[in-house]
Amino acid sequence: MTGPRAAAALADLGLAPVAAGVIARRRGMMAVLERLGADDRAVRRMHRLRREFGSGPVELVLPGRRVLVPLDPADVSRILDGAPTPFHPANREKIAALRTFQPHGVLISEGAAREQRRRLNEQALDTDRPLHHLADPFAGVVADAAREQIRTAMQRGGLDAAHFTTDWWRLVRRIVLGRRAREDDSITDRLWRLRAAGNWSYFARPHRRLRERFYEQLYDYVQTAETDSLAGALTQLPTAGTVDPVGQIPHWLFAFDAAGMATVRALAVLSTHPEQLARARLDAQEPERAMPRPYLRACILESVRLWPTTPAILRDTTEDTEWGRGEDRFTVAAGAALLIPVPAFHRDPDTLPFAHTFEPDIWLDGRAERYPQLVPFSAGPARCPGRDLVLFLTTSLLAHLIDELDLELRSHPRPSPEAALPITFDNFRIDFTARARALQAAHSSSPAGR
């Protein structure tokens, strides 16, 4: 597909993530996209492309760039399983966006440096362990943060996304950089400004002074980080000179931003889905303990499935690749971009019977494994190395909040078990009333309450 048709298809598939901000979400634009149900354009475009090209994929030929879009769910797993060769994560557009704040990050690294940096990330984040080796102290940090957040919510009579996010970043800075960084908004504010510049990809200003100041702060915190922080654990690992261990941390902070979005959306859905909330509360017992919480984990995965925090997965082909089947086989020359429009796969009613419903059980009963297009944390050799750590921290916080609070969603839209869930959901405007569960139960059982 070439010319205006290719441009129109790419616009439909990429409009929402680009407009929202691929690297740093634009708050005002998220509200607009929610009202428009913008991700539905990607789903409808995917349907039209399948009608025209069958199982695909389709190659969009644009001035100076070829973009290959998979249409078949099986091709999603083929692409993600084929990292780094022939489908390399260091995509040109991704490099242009991420170099503003993580020039040595593993996602945009190549060759031996990528292998070394990937190995270091996996060691620091305990990718191969169900629970991080610091799970016990991290559970204590989450408990302290949750008590403070719950107390504030009780005083205010509510919990909104703005206050949740402020508290979330305090928790993240403590986990990643140590106690001294907990209250330092300036370091994550500087990172956000660098990320916002990264939204412009090739057209981003370099912001050299801002990046220098950010890294000065980062190195300062790493030098004094306690051993019960990720930065402290990182400094204990042996590394080669080309790895740049501290240069991996900006991406950890970046990823935790998405984790906060997923958590507040999961809270919103649970607050309006009583059956799932009851099961989640059973899983939330003893919230201060460091332990797997399979149902809460499934709720977070389902939140990311419904509203992907990485809405566009990008790869570049490093060699010629063959596609299609039988007489329809064709070859795509090396150097093409690959675009996986995640919402178009995650919310497609043609291929998913649960496309627009909240179904945490798919992550527990094996159904999700039947659908290779479901990739909430990507997949294959380049999947998120911090996946299990993120799920541990988000489910630990979620356990405290739903165990201690009755949260009633007062913002709109209100996800409902009786209707299709919104296809685009602005996390910045989520707002709850909040009451202590014990007090509410006592009130309901009193004569006045009855």
Side-chain angles (χ1 to χ4, degrees), residues 13-76:
L13 295 169
L15 170 68
V18 170
V22 175
I23 308 300
R25 296 294 187 270
R26 299 181 175 105
R27 300 188 180 200
M29 186 55 69
M30 281 297 298
V32 173
L33 294 172
E34 180 188 76
R35 288 196 298 272
L36 296 175
D39 286 312
D40 190 47
R41 291 175 65 112
V43 176
R44 288 187 279 113
R45 175 61 72 171
M46 182 68 76
H47 291 169
R48 291 201 294 274
L49 291 173
R50 285 195 189 120
R51 286 195 295 270
E52 183 174 357
F53 296 99
S55 61
V58 60
E59 187 174 23
L60 309 178
V61 181
L62 303 161
R65 195 65 160 139
R66 293 173 293 119
V67 181
L68 199 65
V69 179
L71 308 181
D72 189 327
D75 283 338
V76 174

Side-chain angles (χ1 to χ4, degrees), residues 118-396:
R118 177 73 192 192
R119 191 178 309 116
L120 180 74
N121 275 270
E122 291 180 351
Q123 290 173 331
L125 300 172
D126 277 351
T127 300
D128 294 330
R129 298 177 57 158
L131 285 180
H132 197 277
H133 73 277
L134 293 175
D136 284 332
F138 284 171
V141 172
V142 173
D144 290 342
R147 279 191 288 269
E148 186 175 329
Q149 189 167 53
I150 290 164
R151 183 169 58 250
T152 302
M154 288 296 303
Q155 291 170 350
R156 297 180 64 252
L159 175 64
D160 61 26
H163 286 86
F164 174 89
T165 302
T166 298
D167 291 337
W168 173 252
W169 276 114
R170 289 194 185 104
L171 170 60
V172 168
R173 288 190 296 266
R174 167 62 187 88
I175 291 287
V176 176
L177 299 175
R179 291 175 180 81
R180 196 163 60 90
R182 182 182 183 275
E183 302 299 326
D184 186 2
D185 293 330
S186 69
I187 188 167
T188 40
D189 286 348
R190 286 190 172 97
L191 177 60
W192 189 90
R193 289 169 59 195
L194 291 167
R195 289 170 50 205
N199 282 338
W200 296 97
S201 190
Y202 295 116
F203 307 103
R205 292 172 52 201
H207 291 284
R208 292 185 182 87
R209 287 179 136 185
L210 179 62
R211 192 168 78 182
E212 286 173 6
R213 180 62 185 129
F214 167 71
Y215 272 95
E216 285 173 7
Q217 287 181 283
L218 190 59
Y219 274 91
D220 179 52
Y221 281 124
V222 171
Q223 287 171 0
T224 60
E226 300 87 355
T227 55
D228 62 349
S229 68
L230 289 178
L234 182 68
T235 61
Q236 307 302 309
L237 297 173
T239 59
T242 58
V243 171
D244 185 12
V246 177
Q248 310 312 304
I249 294 177
H251 191 75
W252 301 351
L253 295 168
F254 169 35
F256 275 120
D257 190 11
M261 296 177 196
T263 305
V264 76
R265 285 174 174 145
L267 272 175
V269 183
L270 284 171
S271 74
T272 59
H273 286 63
E275 179 182 335
Q276 287 89 341
L277 178 59
R279 291 182 62 186
R281 280 179 167 153
L282 289 175
D283 204 30
Q285 295 178 19
E286 300 182 88
E288 69 285 348
R289 286 187 57 195
M291 57 188 289
R293 300 183 186 277
Y295 193 77
L296 286 175
R297 181 185 174 100
C299 289
I300 295 291
L301 287 168
E302 187 66 346
S303 172
V304 184
R305 196 270 299 178
L306 288 161
W307 302 288
T309 52
T310 303
I313 297 178
L314 301 173
R315 298 286 188 267
D316 274 358
T317 60
T318 59
E319 57 190 49
D320 295 354
T321 51
E322 287 194 358
W323 302 87
R325 296 173 180 82
E327 295 180 357
D328 296 327
R329 290 186 71 81
F330 61 98
T331 300
V332 174
L338 283 157
L339 166 64
I340 300 174
V342 181
F345 284 104
H346 281 198
R347 299 299 293 271
D348 182 4
D350 282 2
T351 59
L352 298 176
F354 45 79
H356 300 310
T357 58
F358 183 58
E359 295 282 349
D361 278 327
I362 68 170
W363 304 101
L364 300 171
D365 60 18
R367 273 182 292 164
E369 296 172 9
R370 302 176 206 159
Y371 299 97
Q373 70 269 41
L374 298 185
V375 287
F377 283 81
S378 190
R383 83 165 191 173
C384 174
R387 177 181 187 267
D388 289 328
L389 176 59
V390 165
L391 290 170
F392 170 72
L393 294 173
T394 53
T395 56
S396 296

